[in-house]
Amino acid sequence: MQRDEQITRLREAFRMCEKQQRGHVSLVTGAVGSGKTSVLEAFGEWAADAGGRVLSAAGSRAERGLHLGVLGQLFHSARLAPEAAAQVETLMREAPSVVPLLEASLETTDESSAANRAWAPVLHGLFNALLDLAGSGPLVLTVDDVHHADPATLHCLLYVTRRLRHAPIVVVLTEARMLRPPHPHFRAELFSQPHFTRINLPPLTVEAIAQLVDGGAEAAARETAERCLSVTGGNPLLTRALIDERLREESDEDPAPDTAFDQAVLGCLYRHEPGVRRVAQALAVLSRPASTELLGHLLDMVPESVAPTVRVLRTSGLMDCDQLRHPRIRRSILADMSPEERRAMHQRTAEVLHEHGVDPRAVAEHLVAAGGADAAWTVPVLQDAAAHALASGRPDEAAACLRLVSRADVDDQQRVTTTAMLVNARWQVNPLTVNGHLTQLVRTARNAGWPTDTALSTVPYLLWQGRAEEAGEAIAGCATDDDQAHSTDAGRLRAMRLLLSLSHPDHLPAVREAVAAGGRMPVLPAVGYLQLHALTVLGSALTPAAEQDAVATAEQLLHRHHTDDGVLPVLTAPLLALLWSGRSDRVAVWSAALLERPVVRHNPVWRAVIRALRAEAALRLGDLSGAEHQARAALEDLPVAAWGVAVAGPLATLIACATESGRHGEADQWLAQPVPPGAFRTPLGVHYLAARGRHHLAMGRAHAATADLRRCGELMRTWGIDVAGLVPWRLELARVQLSVGNKAHATQLLQEQLRVPHGVDDRTRGRTLRLLASTAAPDHRRKLLSEAVNLLQNSGDRLELVRALGDTGQTLQRAGDWAQARLLVRRAYHLAQDCGAPVLAQRLVRREPGGLPAYPPVETPEPEDGLSEAERRVAALAAQGHTNRQISSKLFITVSTVEQHLTRVYRKLDVKRRTDLPARLVAYAEPLVEEVQGAAT
């Protein structure tokens, strides 16, 4: 393992000794864990095979006080004859307990002379015993970790090395790089010997590590080696442990609580002096680059004492530059510290960082870890850090800081401010945890006469819980002077009035006033302006007017701010505006982009809300499986009980998905989930009523469906938000009327739906025209269906497009055009399968009296290429040379869906471009859809 050069040098020394009968001494130096022992063992085995006699020993920190302990190991490994063993034992027993100081040779004293005279016969006898062991080949003495050897042994080893000119003895010692050599005079004299060689062991290279990973033959092995090097710095002990962990993971073995890598890290530390471990622990707690001055202050050491420790940690691979090399190393070190040690170190770290003027967020992190904020300076630091955390979208960090402040001794105003911030932070993690604090905050604000800042801070959370009257009371209690019309408080007050009106539209007159004043937006601070602007856009979507373009403004807001931290709550308003303006396709795009933002991981509430919006958008685009997946994920992020009145949103989506998929029992289960009564005072409650009405209709309960849908209409007209993008209740009610045979009333409702001013999007218009075609004369029906197909294709609602294509096919069949009818039904069948609506797909092809002929399940043998039916259709058209947009138009799917299908096709068929698609796929291409378009028109 990259040690061939070092072992070769030792072998050369052995051969030279064998040839010239002259000894040699080598010192192998390396960091802890650098493989010194492995080098020593490899050389010892080779030397024994080459005819040498090998005696081995190892030093130990625990046996430093054992007189001649290491020398005894050497002779014990020689397996001496009884007589020779007795002689050596006698000599070692006679050895004086006092070892002459090595520096005594520089200045002779009576004491040192006496000690040397006492040692002389012992050293002479032991040296002769070693010479007797040389035999026909050189004698090899190997001592591992010589820095831990006892002084008497070192004295004897120096005696031997001084006489190597005429003795066939090879001495190989190893030592680790330590803070300070324990025996500097021994090393000084050793280095001065003429037949001395020092051999350094460098860190492993990428190439060497790659040899340990699958033999290094593949590019993947090199990539793994590079990752290992970044973690271990090339330390062989750490590298082997990391590779062992990888092999254990690949073999699906249960990981041990203390992994091999953890043990290796601690092994490196505990084999050093305690001071090295203290610095490593300080670095682990700091979790940031640290200068020697900072470490010295933290550990009450002078920087000059810290510098050697840092060098040792770097050479051992644990440090890189001014910090621990990798988070894995940090975790290993922290896990070895007791909770009390960690808390004390975090407390000390917070104090030192504060004194050094470090950012309050970094200081607060350590205060939270220490669990204490007793000093007066900690409260403003924690409050500042909490404010930054909230602004950057980290409510979890903010809540941790504020919990400490809430336990500190602060005045009443600080306590109110802290409670308001704590409600904000904890609500974004789990709304169920703020009930007590929110009630306390409302009571405090009411008793104090509704101070603006405190009162307005309660409004969003009261509305979430359906406590609209209390929210209205808080808003009404705030008063701003005309002179302060452009102040921050005035902007917040206006935004909260809008929020109250939009979430509970019985207050909607305020929305109309705000929308009308849209061109006179006050100059406000950035955050206040953004919130007010976003809510105004949502208001313009619910109360559309010719001069207002809610879609364009919502797009601008999302484009400008979707990468900003801390604005997720604000961006839900333009997302809703797009959804209720009939642009579900854009909601799908923007919600996917927002969910990919790293900050979303720390905001369970807003992650759940965005997923719920994405689910509803997917439902309106006909993607039933995608809608169900996102809605279920939203309820996993946030349990039903925590949603407040907003739970009507994801539940409505899941009810609709189950109904459309024909899983009516599952829809009943979602309907059994509790919904707060206050939800039906909100726009989301109207969603829920419409979904429940559709389910009633699917189950044949026309009367119940009519009741729910009429209630939708009454609420929306009363509120003044009769927008089809919210719920096209007339269209849904017309479906019910058609199911009971009341075509006249259905026609009236559908015509009214088309006449709603500024509130009919393409999807609603296409759906309305499809239903209207069923009431029209045959000669007019085909024209209405053609327009419906075009509108629904443009809107992206594939499920409704399936129904429109099916109706067109039925119309053609009745006109006697069986071939074109069959083509359209085939297309609708495939599209229904792609949407996850098998019940609708089967209904299209089921043979019924006067209906269409059954769809043949297989017309050509399918190759075993692993492609799904949808993927094969896309691949076949691509093989014919059609562009993605052309394929999209022919198959009535989006360009994005075409791209996703082709990506999977390339992977399954192992090709890189459409020109590589096998020619056999052309045989599976369906007739060109010019025929379909001709049939539709």
Side-chain angles (χ1 to χ4, degrees):
M1 189 171 60
Q2 197 190 317
R3 299 298 184 239
D4 293 343
E5 178 185 345
Q6 290 78 17
I7 294 176
T8 298
R9 294 177 65 184
L10 294 175
R11 291 176 180 176
E12 290 173 353
F14 177 89
R15 292 194 181 100
M16 189 65 68
C17 174
E18 186 179 35
K19 179 179 180 181
Q20 299 180 357
Q21 294 296 300
R22 298 175 62 179
H24 190 89
V25 59
S26 298
L27 179 65
V28 180
T29 304
V32 169
S34 60
K36 301 180 296 297
T37 303
S38 299
V39 168
L40 207 59
E41 291 176 350
F43 170 68
E45 292 175 3
W46 177 88
D49 293 339
R53 186 165 188 178
V54 180
L55 309 185
S56 60
S60 168
R61 189 192 304 271
E63 297 182 5
R64 279 181 178 176
L66 187 60
H67 194 60
L68 291 175
V70 173
L71 189 66
Q73 290 183 51
L74 289 172
F75 279 110
H76 180 73
S77 67
R79 304 183 185 277
L80 299 173
E83 183 179 347
Q87 183 181 1
V88 168
E89 186 178 348
T90 300
L91 286 169
M92 293 179 66
R93 190 167 49 248
E94 293 175 353
S97 57
V98 177
V99 180
L101 298 176
L102 297 178
E103 62 266 28
S105 59
L106 303 178
E107 183 179 348
T108 303
T109 64
D110 292 341
E111 183 180 354
S112 64
S113 297
N116 284 327
R117 284 194 298 273
W119 268 97
V122 175
L123 294 172
H124 181 70
L126 293 173
F127 180 68
N128 286 334
L130 290 174
L131 285 177
D132 292 341
L133 295 174
S136 58
L139 177 68
V140 178
L141 306 180
T142 67
V143 180
D144 197 13
D145 286 342
V146 72
H147 50 283
H148 288 322
D150 58 281
T153 294
L154 296 178
H155 188 49
C156 294
L157 287 174
L158 282 180
Y159 185 91
V160 171
T161 58
R162 295 188 198 105
R163 288 156 179 79
L164 292 181
R165 288 184 180 86
H166 308 292
I169 300 176
V170 175
V171 180
V172 183
L173 313 173
T174 72
E175 70 167 5
R177 295 191 179 96
M178 309 296 285
L179 278 181
R180 57 189 65 82
H183 307 289
H185 298 289
F186 167 78
R187 297 177 84 248
E189 186 166 350
L190 187 68
F191 287 10
S192 68
Q193 297 305 311
H195 302 292
F196 169 78
T197 301
R198 188 178 184 185
I199 300 174
N200 290 311
L201 298 183
L204 299 181
T205 62
V206 170
E207 290 73 19
I209 298 174
Q211 289 298 319
L212 298 175
V213 182
D214 300 331
E218 300 180 359
R222 183 175 180 85
E223 291 179 8
T224 303
E226 289 173 349
R227 289 197 298 270
C228 284
L229 184 63
S230 68
V231 177
T232 67
N235 181 300
L237 177 65
L238 300 177
T239 301
R240 284 190 179 277
L242 199 61
I243 293 173
D244 288 345
E245 276 190 14
R246 172 176 169 268
L247 296 175
R248 189 176 296 110
E249 290 172 359
E250 290 178 353
S251 63
D252 293 330
E253 292 184 23
D254 292 334
D258 294 325
T259 66
F261 187 79
D262 294 330
Q263 295 167 7
V265 170
L266 298 180
C268 287
L269 290 178
Y270 278 91
R271 286 162 64 182
H272 277 297
E273 298 91 335
V276 175
R277 192 162 66 253
R278 284 190 65 212
V279 171
Q281 290 174 343
L283 287 166
V285 168
L286 270 168
S287 188
R288 59 184 287 135
S291 63
T292 54
E293 290 77 13
L294 180 62
L295 287 170
H297 190 181
L298 179 59
L299 298 171
D300 292 324
M301 298 168 60
V302 295
E304 290 75 12
S305 300
V306 177
T309 307
V310 169
R311 283 195 296 271
V312 166
L313 288 170
R314 285 175 182 158
T315 57
S316 64
L318 297 175
M319 272 188 76
D320 183 27
C321 298
D322 292 333
Q323 61 185 332
L324 292 176
R325 178 174 293 278
H326 196 270
R328 280 292 309 274
I329 295 174
R330 176 177 178 265
R331 290 199 298 269
S332 300
I333 296 171
L334 290 176
D336 185 58
M337 299 172 68
S338 69
E340 292 75 18
E341 288 176 319
R342 286 198 300 271
R343 280 196 293 270
M345 184 67 79
H346 277 296
Q347 187 67 47
R348 176 63 179 156
T349 301
E351 295 169 359
V352 170
L353 292 180
H354 179 64
E355 292 177 18
H356 280 246
V358 174
D359 187 278
R361 287 171 288 183
V363 178
E365 179 183 348
H366 293 286
L367 289 173
V368 169
D374 299 329
W377 61 267
T378 60
V379 170
V381 166
L382 288 166
Q383 288 178 326
D384 192 8
H388 278 97
L390 286 172
S392 59
R394 290 302 304 268
D396 51 335
E397 292 181 357
C401 294
L402 294 166
R403 275 194 292 269
L404 283 184
V405 177
S406 65
R407 297 199 295 263
D409 185 15
V410 295
D411 58 38
D412 292 342
Q413 183 56 46
Q414 279 185 312
R415 191 165 300 282
V416 171
T417 302
T418 301
T419 303
M421 293 176 68
L422 187 59
V423 168
N424 183 2
R426 296 185 67 180
W427 180 88
Q428 294 185 59
V429 178
N430 184 356
L432 293 175
T433 63
V434 305
N435 292 340
H437 285 103
L438 181 58
T439 300
Q440 173 190 343
L441 195 61
V442 170
R443 186 187 307 116
T444 302
R446 184 180 286 118
N447 293 340
W450 297 109
T452 301
D453 192 54
T454 307
L456 295 183
S457 69
T458 67
V459 171
Y461 317 112
L462 291 171
L463 294 175
W464 182 270
Q465 294 183 357
R467 297 158 66 179
E469 282 66 33
E470 289 179 81
E473 181 188 356
I475 292 172
C478 301
T480 56
D481 299 332
D482 292 338
D483 296 339
Q484 298 177 337
H486 300 296
S487 68
T488 301
D489 286 346
R492 284 187 65 201
L493 178 59
R494 190 173 172 189
M496 290 303 101
R497 284 174 179 156
L498 264 173
L499 183 60
L500 171 63
S501 302
L502 293 171
S503 61
H504 292 73
D506 42 359
H507 299 269
L508 206 57
V511 174
R512 293 196 178 88
E513 294 174 10
V515 173
R520 303 188 298 277
M521 193 75 68
V523 178
L524 298 171
V527 175
Y529 172 83
L530 179 59
Q531 184 183 37
L532 182 56
H533 191 24
L535 289 170
T536 303
V537 171
L538 180 55
S540 66
L542 284 176
T543 57
E547 65 276 8
Q548 298 288 340
D549 190 349
V551 171
T553 312
E555 286 277 354
Q556 290 172 3
L557 272 174
L558 288 162
H559 182 75
R560 189 175 302 149
H561 298 289
H562 75 281
T563 58
D564 296 349
D565 291 332
V567 297
L568 282 179
V570 176
L571 295 185
T572 55
L575 282 177
L576 272 172
L578 289 174
L579 183 70
W580 291 339
S581 298
R583 293 306 306 269
S584 300
D585 55 331
R586 300 305 301 161
V587 176
V589 171
W590 282 116
S591 58
L594 291 174
L595 288 172
E596 289 176 0
R597 298 273 292 120
V599 72
V600 171
R601 292 197 304 268
H602 309 290
N603 287 266
V605 168
W606 294 115
R607 182 172 67 241
V609 169
I610 293 171
R611 278 179 166 162
L613 289 171
R614 188 179 182 185
E616 180 63 23
L619 174 65
R620 297 183 181 204
L621 293 172
D623 182 6
L624 296 182
S625 57
E628 182 175 0
H629 170 74
Q630 291 296 332
R632 285 181 179 271
L635 294 184
E636 289 173 3
D637 285 336
L638 203 61
V640 170
W643 277 85
V645 295
V647 74
L651 285 181
T653 303
L654 288 166
I655 293 164
C657 286
T659 301
E660 291 283 6
S661 302
R663 304 192 308 272
H664 301 301
E666 186 177 312
D668 285 330
Q669 292 176 1
W670 291 119
L671 283 165
Q673 293 286 341
V675 177
F680 299 103
R681 296 178 58 191
T682 71
L684 295 179
V686 177
H687 274 293
Y688 185 90
L689 288 172
R692 191 170 69 184
R694 290 178 70 93
H695 178 65
H696 284 320
L697 178 60
M699 297 302 292
R701 299 190 291 265
H703 181 73
T706 300
D708 276 341
L709 294 169
R710 285 194 183 282
R711 187 178 176 194
C712 282
E714 291 168 3
L715 288 173
M716 292 171 65
R717 284 183 298 186
T718 301
W719 294 339
I721 54 173
D722 196 358
V723 223
L726 182 57
V727 169
W729 62 272
R730 295 177 182 85
L731 183 154
E732 298 293 350
L733 192 55
R735 290 179 68 242
V736 180
Q737 295 302 310
L738 287 172
S739 72
V740 297
N742 192 347
K743 286 189 176 183
H745 191 198
T747 302
Q748 178 186 351
L749 288 168
L750 292 170
Q751 290 173 345
E752 287 179 8
Q753 184 70 77
L754 293 174
R755 289 196 297 267
V756 173
H758 310 299
V760 182
D761 55 277
D762 283 353
R763 174 175 177 266
T764 303
R765 188 176 298 277
R767 294 177 64 201
T768 305
L769 291 176
R770 182 186 76 80
L771 291 180
L772 201 56
S774 66
T775 68
D779 56 341
H780 188 50
R781 183 179 305 154
R782 189 165 171 178
K783 180 180 179 182
L784 290 174
L785 286 173
S786 175
E787 187 177 353
V789 166
N790 290 331
L791 288 168
L792 291 170
Q793 185 173 350
N794 291 336
S795 73
D797 188 340
R798 296 185 296 161
L799 203 59
E800 288 296 332
L801 180 59
V802 167
R803 294 188 172 99
L805 289 173
D807 289 354
T808 304
Q810 191 174 26
T811 301
L812 290 171
Q813 184 260 332
R814 288 172 179 166
D817 194 346
W818 287 80
Q820 298 286 18
R822 180 182 182 83
L823 187 61
L824 280 180
V825 172
R826 283 166 56 85
R827 189 73 62 202
Y829 174 86
H830 290 311
L831 200 54
Q833 293 284 17
D834 289 346
C835 291
V839 174
L840 179 58
Q842 292 304 318
R843 190 180 303 142
L844 286 168
V845 300
R846 190 169 52 233
R847 184 185 296 275
E848 295 178 353
L852 290 172
Y855 173 74
V858 178
E859 291 188 350
T860 54
E862 296 189 4
E864 297 181 358
D865 50 20
L867 299 182
S868 68
E869 185 68 26
E871 291 164 355
R872 187 173 294 110
R873 291 196 305 276
V874 171
L877 289 171
Q880 286 182 325
H882 296 292
T883 66
N884 289 359
R885 188 166 295 281
Q886 289 170 334
I887 296 171
S888 164
S889 175
K890 292 177 184 300
L891 297 181
F892 300 104
I893 57 178
T894 64
V895 175
S896 175
T897 302
V898 173
E899 293 170 350
Q900 294 170 21
H901 282 325
L902 282 177
T903 299
R904 290 192 288 269
V905 168
Y906 294 162
R907 185 179 68 250
K908 291 179 180 180
L909 299 183
D910 194 23
V911 299
K912 294 184 177 179
R913 58 187 67 85
R914 67 181 63 213
T915 54
D916 297 334
L917 290 169
R920 59 175 169 76
L921 284 172
V922 177
Y924 296 90
E926 299 187 55
L928 296 181
V929 187
E930 281 79 359
E931 303 174 28
V932 178
Q933 294 171 341
T937 57

